[in-house]
Every structure is written in C-alpha cells, then in structure tokens.
Amino acid sequence: MATRVLEDGVETYLTRGGVTVTRRRREADYAKAIDGCVEMLDSRRGAVFSSNYEYPGRYTRWDTAVVDPPLAISSFGRSVWIEAYNGRGEVLLSLIAARLATVPELVLGARTATRLDLSVTAPERVFNEEERSKMPTVFTVLRAVTDLFHSAEDSNLGLYGAFGYDLAFQFDAIDLKLERPAGQRDMVLFLPDEILVVDHYAAKAWFDRYDFTHDGLTTENRQAAIAADPFRAVDTVPPHGDHRPGEYAELVVKAKESFRRGDLFEVVPGQKFFERCDSKPSEISRRLKAINPSPYSFFINLGDQEYLVGASPEMFVRVSGRRIETCPISGTIKRGDDPIADSEQILKLLNSKKDESELTMCSDVDRNDKSRVCEPGSVKVIGRRQIEMYSRLIHTVDHIEGRLRDDMDAFDGFLSHAWAVTVTGAPKLWAMRFIEAHEKSPRAWYGGAIGMVGFNGDMNTGLTLRTIRIKDGIAEVRAGATLLYDSNPEEEEAETELKASAMIAAIRDAKAGQSGASKRDVAAVGAGVNILLVDHEDSFVHTLANYFRQTGATVTTVRTPVPEETFERLRPDLVVLSPGPGSPKDFDCKATIAKARARKLPIFGVCLGLQALAEAYGGQLRQLAVPMHGKPSRIRVLEPGIVFSGLGREVTVGRYHSIFADPATLPRDFIITAESEDGTIMGIEHASEPVAAVQFHPESIMTLGQDAGMRMIENVVARLSKKGSAA
C-alpha cells in the first residue's frame, strides 16, 4: 500500500511481506547529531557512514548513523545466527524466524527469545555461471529478510554493517591454508529501528524512528533498553606487523614467477601492521576522518569488543533502481608537499604505463563481472583514469556502470564482484588462491565491504580498505599493493607501508590528543599592521590582499591615483604597489612612491610595482623578447634579504610581465636579490631605505610550491613593515 500520513507527521506503509511499518520523524541538531552518535559507538553497537569527499557525478556529502539496533544478523561459513538485543528485537526476530521457516534451503536450529541459529544447505545441483549468485548461501537469508521488509516507500531503512572477505568462498571454494581464529565473523548486519540522516546540502539532520507490526505482534511499547559495553584498553604491546622488513618484497619476487608462467596477470597481496589502542575508537575515527577525507568513511561497533574504523577511497557496488556502478582504483603515487608538487606527481602517474596497465586490467575484470548480471551492451566505462586525491596518495580511478537484467537484483550485482579485482587480482580465482597461500593471516574484514542494503532494493557499499580493525584493544591495519610482472619489489613494499601510514598516524595522533588536521599559524606576524594596497587595475589584486590579510594585517585597497588625504587618514605601516597592465607611467606611480617616501613608509612592489620603483629611483625599463604571461620560472636567490629569508637558493615562481628593470641602469643603492635563469631581475631591495620588490606574483598558484608565496608575504609583513617611521 502507499504511504499513509497520520497526525503529527507519522507515516505508515505495508511491506511486501505484510509488515506494517510506522515511521516517526524528529528534527536533529545538524551541527552535533553525528558527533553524538560517534561518541556512543565506543560502548554501543551500531555504525556511522559518512561521505566527506566529493567528486562530481560520483560522490556527494552525506552521513547516516544507527546506534543500538535491536537486531543483528551474523554468520561464519554457512552458519547464521540472528540476535535480538532488546524486547523490540525479540519481536523482529519472531517475524524473521517465521519468514525463514518457509525457505527450503535453510535449516533452522536452536531458538530462544533472543537468538535463532540456522545453517544454509549446500547446493544440490551445479549452478551455471549466469545464475551462480542465486545458489544457496548466507545471502539466501538476506534475500528472505529484505523480501519480508521490501517497500519502495523508504530509501533509508535496511541492513547496515560489514561483509567479510571469506564470504566469497561460499561461491568459489578454495583450499584454505590459513587457520581462521575462534570467534571470527564473516558478516555482521544490523537491522535498526532508528536512523539518523544528515543532508549536508540542505544543512539538515533528522531521526527516523520505526515500529513494526504483523499478525498481532508489534514493537510498539516493547522494551528498548540495551546494556552498554564500553571499550576496554589493554596493556599488551603487539608486534610491528606480520612481515619482517623485506619479506613483502620477497613475496613480490614470488609473484613475478607466477606472472612469468602466465598463472596470474596481477595480484594484490597485503601485509598487516599492529598498534595498541590507547585512545577510544571514536577519537581514532574523528582523527582519521579529519586527516583522510574519503567517500566511504565509517565507524562500526560490531560488538564483542570489535570495531572497524575506515576511510575507504573505493566504491564497491552501488545499485540505484536497475543501475549498478563501481569505481575500480588502481595506480597510486605519493602526494607532493604542495599543489605544484601534486601536479608533477599527477603527470608522473598518468604517464606511467605500469599504472595504466594495472587499472586497465582491473576495469576489464570489473566489466566482465558486470556482464554476468547486466543487460547486453549496457556495461559502459563512463570515466577513465580520473584523478582522485587523498591525504597521502593520488589514485587513478575508472567509473563503470551497467543495467541489471530484470531477473537480477542488488545482491546479484554485489556477488558478481565478490571480491573486487583491486584487492584480489586477475584471474580473480587464481589470485585469491595465491593470496591464501602467501599471506600470513586471514583477511577477516579487509577486502570485503561495508555499507547499507536497502529494503527498497538499492545498495550502497564501499570496499573495506584503509581500515583499522580494533579487536580486544589491539588495532590491525592491512595494506596491499597491485603487483604486475614489471613491479619493483622494494617500491611495492614501500607502497603498502605508505598506504598503512595514514591509519597508523590516526591511532597515534588520537593518543596525542590531536583531533584535526594541523595548519601552520601565520596570523601573529601581521597583528596590528596597517597596509595600504595600491591597485593598478590588476586582475590579481584581491588575491594579493587576501595573502596579506592571512598574516593578520589590516588591508585597505585603493585604486590609483592615491590622494594625500588617504595617506593621512589610513596612516599605513606599509604601502604595497600591486601588479598591473601597461607601464608605471600609465598610473603615475612616481607620484604614489613620492608620497610614501615623504612619510618614510616601507614600500613593497609586486611585478609592475618593481618596475615602478626601479624607474622612480632613476633606473630604466626594457621589454622582454618573449612575454612571460602565466609562465612559471625557476629563479635563483642571490641575497635572501628580507623577502627570501628562509626559502633556500632556488624557488619556482609565477610570472606575468613583458617589461623588466634594466640591470645595467639599476641605481647602485638597489641590491639584486633574485634573478631568473636568463639573468632577468626577479627581486630587489634598497640598501638603506625600507623598499623591496619582486618581478613575479607571490599570490599565483605557480608560486605555491613550498608555500613560497605566503612565506614571502610573511617576511614582508614581519620585517619590512617594521622598518618605517610614519610621519
């Protein structure tokens, strides 16, 4: 039936399985709602899923949280157990048990008011490849549950949690070499009765509270309290990892033998690192989210002192209606120290044939996986080698979509990709056998998926990467690298360590009490400094003003000509001559400089400002043979002086000029502080007066390298502005 709105905004609808769902919505504090849920997960089961990384057409910002769910579905191998955590969960368990009793592939076992155990029978026939995702597995249970609660009326109600790596072996049985620890769970999914939704575009948040009624059973007025189980730290000091230094590189050599024989095209083995958790999981989660924004940030309390804290960069499977999409990631390079260095790294990555091959193979396997469940001809590559940038890494990413066949659902799409080639390899089954034979420990949750299965038929899941698994007070971080025949063993080992480093840093920073990304504080140097910025009709003057304001200085921008009254009224500590078109004579710069000198004011010139100062003091200007407009140059620092103090001997800067100061006629009182490779003056300072200038744009993106432009402005404000004595 369609949604029926009752009084006070209460809505009801009927599910496919005949369950009446009542939904009550209440507004939440947008600014505080998610933080409150994160804090609660230290001691209560539940999950927070966030996307704090945007990419047009792919990811948008959102948050969803469930805390104290009344019921969970867990599994290990082909055994499944469903637990109720309160009286409301007991009602849900009764509804689900009645539905599961009608599924012939399931064998129901022990049953109490709070728990149902069951198992899934092994397939009795051979399933062809096109229907393999329909064979009896633990997903048979999930299909029955989603069918019971299915309705198109609600896009948020569903199952929330985590899918482990070993689930794949229900479909592709392999010889397991690694012993699975007691208590391992391959799946934990929560069925919530309250969901927090945060809409970052509308800056709104709300809670949806649900009640369920069927055949006289109802969750209304049933006991809702659930006992807390606070996080418990331990004194145990774990080893550094499960590999000794150099051992992963040795594994790369072994993999290259498999490539040479043709057994594998690529493979993604990992190694595991350990760290003791001296901080609460919520503190680690906040730190990781701050330093490593991602489209699939998550914090899950699985119960039994097991937590997952992650910042996954990769979509696993997303289904919206009949549309299925994935975003395989392969090709990785380290971030630069600044945007300029980042751009150089991006060029290296895009020009790397090895990284291109990695992603090509991943996407070809991905397209193959979709072809099993999608309409012929509907599988398309809609984004190729797109750049995504994270806190420490730059990745190349493809974006692939398809349309599910009418006889396929979201679970078929999900299972056709279990598990993603980007965490296994190709051919996938052979790669998974190699991983099982050569990794040191079972993957548990790593390489699986986290997210939400909607009762409306949709699904949104992320690959379990960049994840900290906390179990009994010890954190585990597993990281892998995509290996090819032309892989360098030492570089691949270093890549795994780099990938794990952001997770380890989050754990250690949380211990140190750091909750956010650090930022260099420059505000103090300009406190109390009053700046007059003379605008020569330039296109970049407001960016330049912004740089000066970042130091804490007060900036007033005035178009030339500047009247005497302005100097008297503002009483500046520093006069800045902006860049501009034409020549200094077009703006009567000599008059402005004379007024400033008469008051013994410090002067800093930028581009046209340098030309104006050189000419005002008796020098001459010349024209470049080739204009330098929007061009970066590597300049040599001859004298650090005021402007270039602390910047080293060479700096990359951004140039916009066709006129320059003639070094042959530059007055002797000026010292040339920097020059380009061809000898063009790039910086001057007066020997006795508080005057300095640069023949480039410190505010340009081309001068961002090493934060050079901002550091120059700091030097000018901190040192040059103090040299004057206002009249």
Short mmCIF file of all heavy atoms in Angstrom, two decimals, residues 5 42 99 141 145 153 212 214 306 340-341 384 386 427 468 590 642 708-709 713:
data_model
loop_
_atom_site.label_atom_id
_atom_site.label_comp_id
_atom_site.label_asym_id
_atom_site.label_seq_id
_atom_site.Cartn_x
_atom_site.Cartn_y
_atom_site.Cartn_z
N VAL A 5 -0.18 9.14 5.67
CA VAL A 5 0.29 10.11 6.65
C VAL A 5 -0.76 10.28 7.73
O VAL A 5 -1.91 10.61 7.43
CB VAL A 5 0.59 11.47 5.98
CG1 VAL A 5 1.10 12.46 7.02
CG2 VAL A 5 1.61 11.29 4.87
N ASP A 42 31.45 4.04 21.09
CA ASP A 42 32.51 3.47 21.93
C ASP A 42 31.96 2.36 22.81
O ASP A 42 32.69 1.43 23.18
CB ASP A 42 33.13 4.55 22.82
CG ASP A 42 34.11 5.44 22.07
OD1 ASP A 42 34.77 4.94 21.15
OD2 ASP A 42 34.19 6.63 22.42
N ARG A 99 9.41 -16.07 8.61
CA ARG A 99 9.69 -15.97 7.16
C ARG A 99 10.76 -16.97 6.75
O ARG A 99 10.65 -17.66 5.73
CB ARG A 99 10.15 -14.54 6.83
CG ARG A 99 10.60 -14.35 5.38
CD ARG A 99 9.44 -14.52 4.40
NE ARG A 99 9.86 -14.33 3.03
CZ ARG A 99 10.34 -15.28 2.23
NH1 ARG A 99 10.45 -16.54 2.73
NH2 ARG A 99 10.68 -15.03 1.00
N VAL A 141 19.59 -15.98 3.25
CA VAL A 141 18.95 -15.41 4.44
C VAL A 141 18.66 -13.93 4.22
O VAL A 141 17.55 -13.43 4.51
CB VAL A 141 19.84 -15.60 5.68
CG1 VAL A 141 19.21 -14.95 6.91
CG2 VAL A 141 20.10 -17.09 5.93
N VAL A 145 15.04 -11.85 4.24
CA VAL A 145 14.76 -10.74 5.15
C VAL A 145 14.39 -9.48 4.37
O VAL A 145 13.42 -8.78 4.72
CB VAL A 145 15.98 -10.48 6.07
CG1 VAL A 145 15.77 -9.21 6.89
CG2 VAL A 145 16.23 -11.67 6.99
N GLU A 153 8.72 2.61 -0.43
CA GLU A 153 8.31 3.82 0.28
C GLU A 153 9.43 4.45 1.11
O GLU A 153 9.30 5.57 1.57
CB GLU A 153 7.13 3.51 1.22
CG GLU A 153 5.88 3.05 0.51
CD GLU A 153 5.28 4.13 -0.37
OE1 GLU A 153 5.42 5.32 -0.01
OE2 GLU A 153 4.70 3.79 -1.40
N PHE A 212 7.26 -1.82 13.93
CA PHE A 212 6.90 -2.88 13.00
C PHE A 212 5.76 -3.71 13.62
O PHE A 212 5.82 -4.10 14.79
CB PHE A 212 8.11 -3.78 12.74
CG PHE A 212 9.34 -3.03 12.27
CD1 PHE A 212 10.24 -2.50 13.20
CD2 PHE A 212 9.58 -2.83 10.93
CE1 PHE A 212 11.36 -1.81 12.78
CE2 PHE A 212 10.71 -2.14 10.50
CZ PHE A 212 11.60 -1.63 11.43
N HIS A 214 2.90 -7.02 12.74
CA HIS A 214 2.46 -8.09 11.83
C HIS A 214 1.76 -9.18 12.66
O HIS A 214 2.31 -9.68 13.64
CB HIS A 214 3.65 -8.69 11.09
CG HIS A 214 3.28 -9.77 10.12
ND1 HIS A 214 2.51 -9.55 9.00
CD2 HIS A 214 3.58 -11.10 10.10
CE1 HIS A 214 2.36 -10.67 8.33
NE2 HIS A 214 3.01 -11.63 8.98
N GLU A 306 34.87 -5.46 19.16
CA GLU A 306 35.44 -5.41 17.81
C GLU A 306 34.87 -4.18 17.09
O GLU A 306 33.66 -3.96 17.05
CB GLU A 306 35.10 -6.68 17.02
CG GLU A 306 35.77 -6.72 15.66
CD GLU A 306 35.58 -8.04 14.94
OE1 GLU A 306 34.69 -8.82 15.36
OE2 GLU A 306 36.30 -8.31 13.97
N ILE A 340 51.68 22.37 -6.36
CA ILE A 340 52.58 22.32 -7.51
C ILE A 340 53.25 20.96 -7.61
O ILE A 340 53.31 20.35 -8.69
CB ILE A 340 53.63 23.44 -7.42
CG1 ILE A 340 52.95 24.81 -7.34
CG2 ILE A 340 54.58 23.38 -8.60
CD1 ILE A 340 52.04 25.13 -8.50
N ALA A 341 53.75 20.48 -6.49
CA ALA A 341 54.36 19.15 -6.48
C ALA A 341 53.31 18.08 -6.79
O ALA A 341 53.61 17.08 -7.46
CB ALA A 341 55.03 18.87 -5.14
N ARG A 384 37.43 7.45 -17.28
CA ARG A 384 38.66 6.70 -17.48
C ARG A 384 39.86 7.45 -16.90
O ARG A 384 40.09 8.61 -17.22
CB ARG A 384 38.87 6.47 -18.98
CG ARG A 384 40.21 5.83 -19.36
CD ARG A 384 40.38 4.43 -18.78
NE ARG A 384 41.60 3.79 -19.28
CZ ARG A 384 42.18 2.74 -18.73
NH1 ARG A 384 41.65 2.19 -17.65
NH2 ARG A 384 43.27 2.22 -19.24
N GLN A 386 40.50 8.81 -14.09
CA GLN A 386 40.24 10.06 -13.41
C GLN A 386 41.06 10.15 -12.14
O GLN A 386 41.32 9.14 -11.48
CB GLN A 386 38.74 10.18 -13.10
CG GLN A 386 37.88 10.20 -14.35
CD GLN A 386 36.39 10.19 -14.05
OE1 GLN A 386 35.94 9.43 -13.19
NE2 GLN A 386 35.63 11.01 -14.75
N PRO A 427 43.77 -13.61 -13.13
CA PRO A 427 42.38 -14.03 -12.97
C PRO A 427 42.02 -14.12 -11.48
O PRO A 427 42.83 -14.56 -10.67
CB PRO A 427 42.31 -15.39 -13.66
CG PRO A 427 43.49 -15.41 -14.58
CD PRO A 427 44.55 -14.62 -13.89
N ILE A 468 41.06 0.36 9.93
CA ILE A 468 41.64 -0.08 11.20
C ILE A 468 40.65 -1.03 11.84
O ILE A 468 39.50 -0.65 12.11
CB ILE A 468 41.89 1.12 12.13
CG1 ILE A 468 42.80 2.16 11.46
CG2 ILE A 468 42.46 0.66 13.46
CD1 ILE A 468 42.79 3.50 12.16
N LYS A 590 55.22 57.25 -9.98
CA LYS A 590 56.22 58.08 -9.32
C LYS A 590 55.58 58.95 -8.24
O LYS A 590 56.16 59.17 -7.17
CB LYS A 590 56.94 58.95 -10.35
CG LYS A 590 57.98 58.22 -11.19
CD LYS A 590 58.74 59.20 -12.07
CE LYS A 590 59.82 58.47 -12.88
NZ LYS A 590 60.59 59.40 -13.74
N ILE A 642 65.27 40.47 2.97
CA ILE A 642 64.01 40.41 3.71
C ILE A 642 63.05 39.42 3.07
O ILE A 642 62.50 38.54 3.74
CB ILE A 642 63.37 41.82 3.77
CG1 ILE A 642 64.18 42.73 4.68
CG2 ILE A 642 61.93 41.74 4.26
CD1 ILE A 642 63.71 44.17 4.68
N ALA A 708 55.88 29.00 -0.93
CA ALA A 708 56.84 30.09 -1.08
C ALA A 708 56.18 31.46 -1.07
O ALA A 708 56.66 32.40 -0.42
CB ALA A 708 57.65 29.90 -2.36
N GLY A 709 55.09 31.63 -1.83
CA GLY A 709 54.46 32.93 -1.92
C GLY A 709 54.00 33.45 -0.58
O GLY A 709 54.23 34.62 -0.23
N ILE A 713 55.30 36.82 1.71
CA ILE A 713 54.41 37.84 2.26
C ILE A 713 54.60 37.95 3.77
O ILE A 713 54.63 39.06 4.33
CB ILE A 713 52.94 37.52 1.91
CG1 ILE A 713 52.73 37.51 0.40
CG2 ILE A 713 52.00 38.49 2.59
CD1 ILE A 713 53.04 38.80 -0.29
#
